[in-house]
C-alpha cells in the first residue's frame, strides 16, 4: 500500500532526578552526602532508509516515545540513561510542524540522520552541592523534561524523470518496458492509482530513476479526478517527460492542458527541463503535424514494437546528466 502522508507524535525521554542520600557506615555516624546524578533521557532520531518507499508503517504506529532517564541512587550511583529511538522513513520525506506549518526537515539523501528531539538532562545528586559552608546538602535537582513534537510527514518521491500524461496514454506500459518496475497495466483510465518508481538501466554502470505519476486530467490541480494528491511527486524530478497519445484528436492541446495543470499546481515546474514523446506510434499510418509545438525535440515511440525506445532512454539519460552538472555549476 502506498501512503505518502502521515501524522506522528514524538516524545524524547525526561531526565531522571538526582538523589539525596548520605553515607551510612559503621563507626561513621555522620557520613557525607553520596546521592548520585539522574540519567539523561533518551533522544529521538530520524533517518532516511532507502529500503522504504512509503509511509504505510505510520498508519499503525503514530506515537514514538524515548525512554526516560533513571533516578540517581545512594553510594554515588548514577541513574541509567534512557534508550534512544530511531524513526526510519523513505528518502524524500519532508517534516512539518503540525501547529505552525513550518518545515523542519527535508530528508533527501539516503542514510541521512538527524536529531528530532533531545532527551532531558539528568538532575544532580546532593553530592554535587557539598561545599565548605554546606557539608550536608539535603537537596538534589530534578531532571529536565524531554521535548514533544507533533509532526506531519509528507513523502515526495526521489526520481530523476517524472512521467506525465493523461490516463490510458501508455505511461505504465512504457515504464514496464524501459525499467525494472512492473506496474499494473490495463486498457482503462486510472489503472495507476499510486506513483511507481522504476530504475532505467542505460549501461552496466549508468542508470536513472523514473516516476510514473497517476494520470493527470483537466482540473487536476483543483482536485478533479485523482486530484493533486500525486502532483507533488514531480517537484523533485530533474526532467519532465510528457507522454502524448498519437491517437488523440489534438495532441498539442493535450500538451497545453498538461502544462496548465502543472503550472496551476506549482509555477516552479515551468522551469524544469522537459522532453516530449508521442506514444503508440504503431497505431498511426502517418506522422502528425507537430508545427504547433514549435520545437524539434519530439520523439515518436512505441512500447509495443520498441520503436525509438533506446533513443528515448539515451536522450533522457543525457538530459539528467546535463541537469546534474548544471546543479553543481
Amino acid at each position: 500500500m502506498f501512503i505518502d502522508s502521515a501524522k506522528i507524535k514524538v516524545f524524547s525521554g525526561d531526565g531522571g532526578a538526582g538523589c539525596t542520600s548520605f553515607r551510612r557506615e559503621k563507626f561513621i555516624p555522620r557520613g557525607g552526602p553520596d546521592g548520585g546524578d539522574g540519567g539523561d533521557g533518551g533522544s529521538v532520531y530520524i533517518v532516511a532508509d532507502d529500503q522504504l518507499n512509503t509511509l504505510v508503517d505510520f498508519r499503525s504506529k503514530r506515537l514514538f516515545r524515548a525512554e526516560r532517564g533513571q533516578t540517581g541512587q545512594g553510594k554515588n550511583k548514577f541513574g541509567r540513561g534512557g534508550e534512544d529511538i530511531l524513526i526510519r522513513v523513505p528518502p524524500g520525506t519532508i517534516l512539518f510542524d503540525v501547529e505552525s506549518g513550518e518545515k523542519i526537515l527535508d530528508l533527501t539523501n539516503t542514510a541521512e540522520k538527524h536529531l528530532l528531539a533531545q532527551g532531558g538532562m539528568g538532575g544532580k545528586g546532593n553530592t554535587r552541592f557539598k561545599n565548605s559552608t554546606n557539608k550536608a546538602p539535603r537537596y538534589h535537582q530534578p531532571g529536565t523534561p524531554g521535548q514533544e513534537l507533533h509532526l506531519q510527514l509528507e513523502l515526495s518521491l526521489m526520481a530523476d524523470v517524472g512521467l506525465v500524461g493523461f490516463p490510458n496514454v501508455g505511461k505504465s506500459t512504457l515504464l514496464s518496458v524501459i525499467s525494472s518496475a512492473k506496474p499494473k497495466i490495463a486498457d482503462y483510465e486510472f489503472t495507476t492509482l499510486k506513483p511507481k518508481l522504476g530504475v532505467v538501466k542505460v549501461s552496466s554502470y549508468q542508470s536513472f530513476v523514473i516516476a510514473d505519476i497517476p494520470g493527470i486530467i483537466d482540473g487536476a490541480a483543483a482536485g478533479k479526478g485523482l486530484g493533486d494528491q500525486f502532483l507533488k511527486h514531480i517537484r523533485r524530478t530533474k526532467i519532465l517527460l510528457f507522454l502524448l497519445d498519437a491517437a488523440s484528436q489534438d495532441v498539442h492541446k493535450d500538451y497545453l492542458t498538461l502544462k496548465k495543470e502543472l503550472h496551476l499546481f506549482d509555477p516552479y515546474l515551468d522551469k524544469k527541463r522537459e522532453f516530449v514523446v508521442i506514444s503508440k506510434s504503431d497505431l498511426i499510418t502517418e506522422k502528425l503535424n507537430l508545427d504547433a509545438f514549435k520545437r524539434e525535440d519530439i520523439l515518436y515511440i512505441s512500447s509495443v514494437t520498441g520503436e525509438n525506445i533506446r533513443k528515448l532512454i539515451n536522450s533522457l539519460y543525457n538530459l539528467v546528466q546535463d541537469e546534474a552538472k548544471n546543479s553543481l555549476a
Side-chain angles (χ1 to χ4, degrees):
M1 181 179 293
F2 183 83
I3 301 293
D4 58 3
S5 180
K7 288 183 179 180
I8 63 172
K9 288 187 176 181
V10 170
F11 299 86
S12 59
D14 296 337
C19 173
T20 295
S21 175
F22 296 91
R23 292 170 55 197
R24 293 293 184 265
E25 298 179 27
K26 193 175 182 179
F27 307 121
I28 306 180
R30 295 185 178 180
D34 68 352
D37 297 344
D40 293 337
S43 297
V44 181
Y45 294 86
I46 192 165
V47 65
D49 186 341
D50 62 0
Q51 298 301 307
L52 302 175
N53 56 19
T54 175
L55 299 175
V56 67
D57 292 343
F58 298 99
R59 295 191 70 186
S60 56
K61 184 174 176 58
R62 300 185 179 184
L63 180 64
F64 296 85
R65 189 185 298 273
E67 189 179 22
R68 64 173 299 144
Q70 300 298 305
T71 302
Q73 301 179 42
K75 299 183 179 179
N76 291 312
K77 292 182 179 179
F78 284 21
R80 180 175 61 83
E83 291 287 338
D84 297 335
I85 60 173
L86 183 64
I87 302 174
R88 298 183 182 276
V89 296
T93 300
I94 308 171
L95 278 64
F96 298 90
D97 182 90
V98 169
E99 294 183 1
S100 67
E102 178 185 0
K103 183 165 74 172
I104 297 174
L105 276 177
D106 188 351
L107 291 93
T108 57
N109 300 316
T110 298
E112 184 178 351
K113 182 178 178 181
H114 293 273
L115 174 66
L116 272 185
Q118 178 72 54
M121 294 180 60
K124 295 179 180 179
N126 68 332
T127 303
R128 301 283 191 178
F129 300 101
K130 178 182 177 182
N131 55 47
S132 59
T133 59
N134 186 3
K135 297 183 178 181
R138 296 182 177 276
Y139 52 86
H140 60 264
Q141 281 183 333
T144 61
Q147 296 178 308
E148 175 182 346
L149 294 174
H150 191 188
L151 301 174
Q152 174 78 33
L153 308 184
E154 295 288 344
L155 175 59
S156 182
L157 295 179
M158 304 294 293
D160 299 304
V161 178
L163 184 52
V164 181
F166 287 125
N168 202 30
V169 75
K171 299 192 307 302
S172 295
T173 302
L174 177 60
L175 186 70
S176 69
V177 169
I178 67 175
S179 78
S180 56
K182 302 299 178 185
K184 181 180 179 182
I185 301 171
D187 190 22
Y188 54 85
E189 291 189 353
F190 300 124
T191 301
T192 301
L193 298 177
K194 57 186 180 181
K196 292 283 188 181
L197 286 179
V199 178
V200 181
K201 194 170 184 180
V202 183
S203 68
S204 299
Y205 303 100
Q206 298 172 319
S207 64
F208 61 90
V209 179
I210 187 169
D212 174 18
I213 308 302
I216 298 173
I217 64 174
D218 193 5
K224 190 176 178 181
L226 291 179
D228 60 355
Q229 56 183 313
F230 296 126
L231 285 172
K232 63 185 178 183
H233 293 294
I234 61 175
R235 277 184 169 141
R236 297 183 189 272
T237 59
K238 300 181 179 71
I239 308 297
L240 296 179
L241 173 58
F242 288 88
L243 191 63
L244 305 174
D245 192 341
S248 171
Q249 294 182 349
D250 193 333
V251 176
H252 186 248
K253 182 180 178 181
D254 292 346
Y255 168 76
L256 293 179
T257 299
L258 293 171
K259 288 281 290 183
K260 179 192 71 174
E261 293 303 324
L262 296 184
H263 174 82
L264 291 174
F265 177 72
D266 187 349
Y268 174 75
L269 296 175
D270 295 339
K271 301 178 181 179
K272 288 188 177 292
R273 294 278 291 274
E274 61 181 56
F275 195 80
V276 178
V277 298
I278 310 294
S279 70
K280 304 179 183 178
S281 65
D282 55 300
L283 301 181
I284 58 175
T285 56
E286 58 183 44
K287 301 301 184 183
L288 304 173
N289 183 357
L290 302 178
D291 292 342
F293 283 89
K294 296 180 181 179
R295 59 193 303 161
E296 299 178 356
D297 57 342
I298 296 179
L299 190 65
Y300 282 92
I301 67 167
S302 171
S303 299
V304 176
T305 66
E307 179 187 358
N308 283 331
I309 292 298
R310 173 47 59 180
K311 184 175 181 180
L312 172 63
I313 291 174
N314 291 335
S315 297
L316 290 175
Y317 179 74
N318 290 335
L319 286 175
V320 168
Q321 293 303 302
D322 285 344
E323 285 301 300
K325 292 176 182 178
N326 291 337
S327 65
L328 295 175

